[in-house]
Amino acid sequence: MALALALAAVLAVAAVVFVARPFLREPAPVSDRLSEPGPEERRLLELAEERDRALGALKELEFDHRTGKVSDGDYRAQVGPLRRRAAEALRSLEPREPSPRERSHGAAEPLS
Amino acid sequence: MAALGRAALLLALGLVGYALFAGSYAAWKRRRRLALSAQNALLAAFPAVVVAAIVLWVALARRDMTFEYVAAHTSHSLPLGYALSAFWGGQEGSLLLWLLILSGYAALAVWLNRRSRELLTWVVPVLALVAGFFVFMLCFVSSPFATAPAPADGAGMVASLQNPYMLAHPPLLYLGYVGLSIPYAFAMGALLSRRTDERWIVLTRRWTLAAWTFLGVGQLLGAHWAYVEIGWGGYYAWDPVENAALMPWLAATAFLHSVMIQEKRGMLKVWNMVLVALAFCLSIFGTFLTRSGVVNSIHSFSQSPLGGWFLGFIALMTVFSVGLIYLRLPLLRARTKLESLVSREATFLYNNLLLVALCLTILWGVVYPLLTEALRGETRSVSKPYYDFFLHAFGLPLLLLMGLGPLVAWRRASLRSLGKTFLVPLAAAVVTGAVLLGLGYGSSWPGLLAYTFSAFVVASIVLEFVRGTAARRSIAGEGRLRALAMLVARNRRRYGGYLVHAAIVMLAIGVAGSSAYQTVREQALKPGQAMAVDGYTLRYEGLRTTQSANAQTTRARVEVWRGTSHVATLDPGKSQFPVEGDVGNDVSIYHDPRTVGDLFTIADQIVPKTNVVYLKVLVKPLVNLIWLAGFLFVGGSLVAMWPDAVEQRRLAERYEPGAATAGA
């Protein structure tokens, strides 16, 4: 019984130390705020997902065409819009040119 | 020892409680250190639960009868392996196993995804909520560490549980049930943090697949256990406990398919949230069914201490999930629409509707007796014909869709290209159906359709591999084998999925053969007498009785001939377990390599005075395909979930642009 209680106490102390570790390691942090993606970061992620979808769809279409699931006519009808979509997504992800207003205020704001 | 177990569980309760409340507060107020501290609490809960589990295992191994749980589920004569498996043989131990696996999974999920802090911040409280329910039950409602003065011996273990399959079947099922909590927690975490992009799907893809595989293999092992141990000649009886595992598996199957549409087309976001919540709630419902006593009677449910708690928790999680999905509907709107009803996406959608329809009809069959008993005071249950009807109505079209889906192009397919791709599978199906009809297989239309559709699916899968390899060769100029290997390696999910489809086809053929075309004969035999069944001759030679540590076994010796060749000596019998006061059927099976079927013998009744045996014989064609399908199922799942370095780099670049180049 005494051994069991001693083991339980050791386990409890170890757990408490481990739980308190973030506070013990950083008693006075510069910032305690959880980082959060800003609107621009979220927009970029959406665009990255859209880009991957468009490129994946293009790859699937090519493969389906090669394996005979998509006829030549269907392939020609679909490949153009898909390529345009992929190109648009890639273009949107390219770093933006600063606007005249941003230029007049110096460097662009960081993302987050 | 019991005190250590109780203390470890109380510590775990404190830790998950802290993870729940501090984690929620930290996520709400965006407190970084508090969120990390809550994560650590969830991580620390795992070793605490491990200690509790070790205490119970040690008590079981030592047959420490001061533990009420040990006395209720073991005896001094019970072999050690079965004594250890008593961990999941009873209610309290099963709950502890749930918690052990959940806390282990939660710790692993937190540790593996520690860089996805933003999403994890809300995942931690959700996981802590689920773990909190189980640890609360173990601390205050159904403790495995309750003690009492030790009786001279324990009550022992139910005879049918004393089988090697019981060592693996329940843990595998629980690995599956509990595994569904991880994608659920990430889905709810994504909704709570308003991160409804695909990150939660990417992070939980393998978790879902692994849980689904465990659940599938667990059910298959359970079916094999029923087949070799229960002794009625079947492997699935639409029992509520069996259905309890099938329902979340069907919902998870639908989710695994529909999630691909979200990844590829950005559609079905709401539907995927609904499916992941449905699969999770059904996994809790399955545990409730098997552990509350409600299966036997609604009255035993009200007598069981677990019933009300479980029902309350299921209601809470359902309301929480539905409410959260409703609140976040504006974030879940799809920007694209289904382009055509004849497309790969559409076949996935049809597959989803059929899977969910099958799942819900089974759910209705399970709850119907409970509702009638609760509302009318008399139990009215649905039986095999109800389930068989819906299995045929939804299962056969599902089987066909497995063959149709791969042949249809994404986005839209023209009739011309469909005609071209369908030609070979259609020809294979028509020829198979016609030949089988000619051979007399029309005696069962569902059986004939299952065989015909299976031929269609097999042909379409083979065609996919052949055409894919040819396309790869034309692109890369590789040899056949290398092209095939590279085809699979570069598209693991797709081709692993096809292997799983092939396993399901094997399963369907095995089920159709062994149920629609089986032969059953029963006859009373005296020593020296013989009976003939479906080309086999069985001669009964006499009885033999043996004594083992905890059972007395009487077996009938039966010689088996096929034509004039002696093929096997079988020994069906019965075992008596004096401590448990139980009798078990010992079936004896000849696996016929020529038919991939079984000659299954049961000593239905033994009369020692006269040496007469009532021998029941079943000839089950193709039944072994069901068990062989399990290997292909696991193989296909492993291919599908095996990490793909190229894809991982792409995803790392998408979600952590800086980390991708750092080798994340």
Side-chain angles (χ1 to χ4, degrees):
Chain A
M1 185 71 176
L3 181 68
L5 286 177
L7 277 172
V10 169
L11 196 64
V13 169
V16 168
V17 170
F18 186 58
V19 170
R21 202 163 157 244
F23 295 98
L24 297 174
R25 280 179 68 172
E26 291 180 89
V30 179
S31 165
D32 190 28
R33 189 151 179 84
L34 270 167
S35 61
E36 214 171 354
E40 179 64 7
E41 212 173 323
R42 283 178 193 256
R43 190 187 72 86
L44 285 175
L45 180 58
E46 255 178 49
L47 286 171
E49 284 184 347
E50 178 53 31
R51 172 203 61 196
D52 287 355
R53 257 187 232 121
L55 291 173
L58 207 52
K59 203 174 141 196
E60 292 277 3
L61 181 69
E62 296 281 354
F63 195 75
D64 282 352
H65 181 228
R66 278 187 182 274
T67 53
K69 271 182 242 173
V70 173
S71 65
D72 290 344
D74 287 347
Y75 176 75
R76 277 195 296 274
Q78 291 184 39
V79 75
L82 277 179
R83 279 187 183 151
R84 274 194 294 279
R85 217 181 93 198
E88 266 171 38
L90 285 168
R91 235 187 340 265
S92 311
L93 278 165
E94 280 168 11
R96 284 188 308 163
E97 284 287 312
S99 65
R101 190 168 170 272
E102 283 168 333
R103 269 193 218 116
S104 65
H105 283 85
E109 285 288 310
L111 292 179
S112 60
Chain B
M1 283 293 280
L4 179 60
R6 278 194 294 269
L9 284 181
L10 281 171
L11 178 62
L13 180 65
L15 288 166
V16 295
Y18 179 81
L20 170 61
F21 294 111
S24 302
Y25 185 78
W28 182 39
K29 293 287 182 187
R30 315 298 304 160
R31 300 280 168 80
R32 184 174 55 84
R33 285 179 305 164
L34 193 60
L36 278 173
S37 170
Q39 279 179 31
N40 283 0
L42 196 61
L43 286 169
F46 177 52
V49 178
V50 168
V51 168
I54 289 171
V55 169
L56 186 59
W57 258 313
V58 169
L60 288 165
R62 291 169 57 192
R63 315 292 198 288
D64 185 343
M65 299 296 171
T66 58
F67 282 63
E68 287 181 17
Y69 185 81
V70 176
H73 298 287
T74 67
S75 65
H76 288 296
S77 57
L78 189 70
L80 179 66
Y82 294 133
L84 293 174
S85 76
F87 192 103
W88 45 83
Q91 178 178 287
E92 298 86 348
S94 296
L95 292 181
L96 184 54
L97 182 66
W98 229 103
L99 181 66
L100 178 68
I101 295 172
L102 179 62
S103 55
Y105 275 166
L108 189 62
V110 166
W111 188 75
L112 287 176
N113 299 298
R114 60 196 179 281
R115 299 175 75 150
S116 311
R117 192 172 294 165
E118 191 196 332
L119 187 56
L120 208 56
T121 308
W122 274 116
V123 170
V124 166
V126 177
L127 283 171
L129 175 65
V130 182
F133 168 71
F134 282 92
V135 73
F136 172 82
M137 298 292 286
L138 284 159
C139 285
F140 303 112
V141 183
S142 182
S143 173
F145 301 114
T147 51
D153 200 357
M157 181 180 267
V158 177
S160 55
L161 297 185
Q162 295 184 38
N163 181 287
Y165 281 94
M166 279 298 112
L167 301 177
H169 159 61
L172 280 172
L173 269 190
Y174 274 61
L175 282 168
Y177 272 141
V178 185
L180 293 174
S181 308
I182 302 295
Y184 171 77
F186 275 79
M188 295 303 113
L191 290 177
L192 285 161
S193 60
R194 296 169 190 269
R195 286 290 304 258
T196 48
D197 53 71
E198 285 156 26
R199 189 168 204 174
W200 74 271
I201 292 174
V202 170
L203 293 178
T204 58
R205 190 188 286 159
R206 287 195 183 83
W207 284 99
T208 314
L209 201 50
W212 177 81
T213 306
F214 280 130
L215 206 49
V217 175
Q219 286 179 86
L220 207 56
L221 280 181
H224 201 244
W225 165 76
Y227 186 63
V228 300
E229 183 62 29
I230 302 293
W232 57 281
Y235 38 80
Y236 199 87
W238 296 107
D239 181 271
V241 174
E242 292 170 333
N243 291 341
L246 183 59
M247 290 184 289
W249 187 80
L250 288 171
T253 309
F255 174 67
L256 280 172
H257 285 87
S258 67
V259 88
M260 280 189 260
I261 305 298
Q262 183 170 342
E263 285 181 74
K264 287 187 186 292
R265 304 295 312 279
M267 293 157 57
L268 303 181
K269 288 182 178 179
V270 179
W271 180 243
N272 282 325
M273 287 290 176
V274 169
L275 282 182
V276 79
L278 179 69
F280 168 74
C281 289
L282 285 173
S283 74
I284 301 282
F285 181 67
T287 314
F288 160 71
L289 273 184
T290 47
R291 287 295 151 215
S292 66
V294 73
V295 165
N296 303 323
S297 162
I298 195 89
H299 302 301
S300 63
F301 152 69
S302 57
Q303 285 156 15
S304 159
L306 290 184
W309 289 102
F310 257 100
L311 216 52
F313 183 63
I314 293 168
L316 171 75
M317 297 315 280
T318 307
V319 170
F320 168 70
S321 311
V322 173
L324 194 53
I325 294 170
Y326 180 76
L327 280 174
R328 297 289 189 257
L329 274 181
L331 297 175
L332 296 170
R333 287 209 183 95
R335 288 181 190 164
T336 47
K337 284 184 179 169
L338 197 65
E339 285 184 32
S340 165
L341 291 175
V342 187
S343 61
R344 181 79 66 88
E345 299 91 307
T347 62
F348 274 54
L349 195 62
Y350 306 144
N351 140 307
N352 259 243
L353 293 175
L354 287 167
L355 281 166
V356 172
L358 183 59
C359 177
L360 294 180
T361 49
I362 294 172
L363 180 63
W364 178 246
V366 171
V367 300
Y368 183 68
L370 312 177
L371 288 177
T372 53
E373 196 182 350
L375 298 174
R376 295 185 185 179
E378 60 177 55
T379 307
R380 298 183 66 175
S381 57
V382 296
S383 55
K384 194 172 177 291
Y386 167 86
Y387 292 112
D388 281 350
F389 173 79
F390 285 108
L391 182 68
H392 298 153
F394 298 137
L396 286 172
L398 265 172
L399 184 62
L400 186 61
L401 270 176
M402 279 199 310
L404 291 173
L407 301 175
V408 184
W410 288 97
R411 305 170 76 79
R412 58 178 174 267
S414 65
L415 287 175
R416 200 173 162 190
S417 53
L418 281 183
K420 203 173 146 193
T421 51
F422 276 36
L423 192 64
V424 174
L426 204 60
V430 169
V431 169
T432 305
V435 168
L436 290 175
L437 198 60
L439 291 171
Y441 282 79
S443 59
S444 164
W445 281 103
L448 183 65
L449 281 177
Y451 284 161
T452 308
F453 290 173
S454 296
F456 185 88
V457 183
V458 168
S460 82
I461 292 172
V462 170
L463 207 59
E464 272 295 288
F465 276 94
V466 170
R467 284 177 175 162
T469 307
R472 172 98 206 158
R473 288 186 74 196
S474 74
I475 297 167
E478 295 161 336
R480 268 195 193 87
L481 276 178
R482 180 163 172 76
L484 177 65
M486 292 309 290
L487 179 78
V488 176
R490 291 284 165 87
N491 304 274
R492 288 172 199 185
R493 285 172 81 190
R494 177 194 286 197
Y495 290 95
Y498 289 159
L499 291 178
V500 172
H501 282 187
I504 301 296
V505 169
M506 277 175 79
L507 183 96
I509 295 173
V511 170
S514 59
S515 55
Y517 302 106
Q518 74 168 346
T519 309
V520 186
R521 294 268 187 285
E522 190 164 4
Q523 197 171 322
L525 296 173
K526 288 179 185 169
Q529 285 186 327
M531 65 189 284
V533 188
D534 220 8
Y536 296 100
T537 305
L538 295 92
R539 196 175 74 204
Y540 166 50
E541 301 291 348
L543 291 176
R544 188 167 58 94
T545 301
T546 54
Q547 182 71 45
S548 65
N550 61 335
Q552 188 187 57
T553 304
T554 304
R555 287 178 180 271
R557 186 167 157 226
V558 178
E559 300 294 348
V560 182
W561 282 267
R562 190 181 173 104
T564 53
S565 314
H566 179 264
V567 290
T569 301
L570 300 180
D571 58 349
K574 286 191 184 295
S575 290
Q576 289 193 317
F577 297 82
V579 173
E580 291 83 358
D582 205 356
V583 178
N585 253 340
D586 298 319
V587 303
S588 189
I589 304 167
Y590 167 57
H591 306 296
D592 194 332
R594 289 193 298 183
T595 62
V596 211
D598 280 350
L599 176 73
F600 190 101
T601 59
I602 308 163
D604 235 7
Q605 209 181 323
I606 297 174
V607 188
K609 269 187 191 170
T610 55
N611 276 357
V612 169
V613 167
Y614 288 80
L615 196 66
K616 187 175 180 182
V617 181
L618 299 95
V619 177
K620 301 180 86 68
L622 302 173
V623 69
N624 289 300
L625 286 182
I626 297 174
W627 322 125
L628 292 173
F631 294 101
L632 192 55
F633 177 78
V634 173
S637 300
L638 284 175
V639 170
M641 72 174 97
W642 205 260
D644 180 344
V646 176
E647 197 197 1
Q648 279 187 319
R649 269 199 299 277
R650 183 176 64 80
L651 292 171
E653 193 269 328
R654 187 202 285 179
Y655 292 113
E656 296 162 37
T661 47

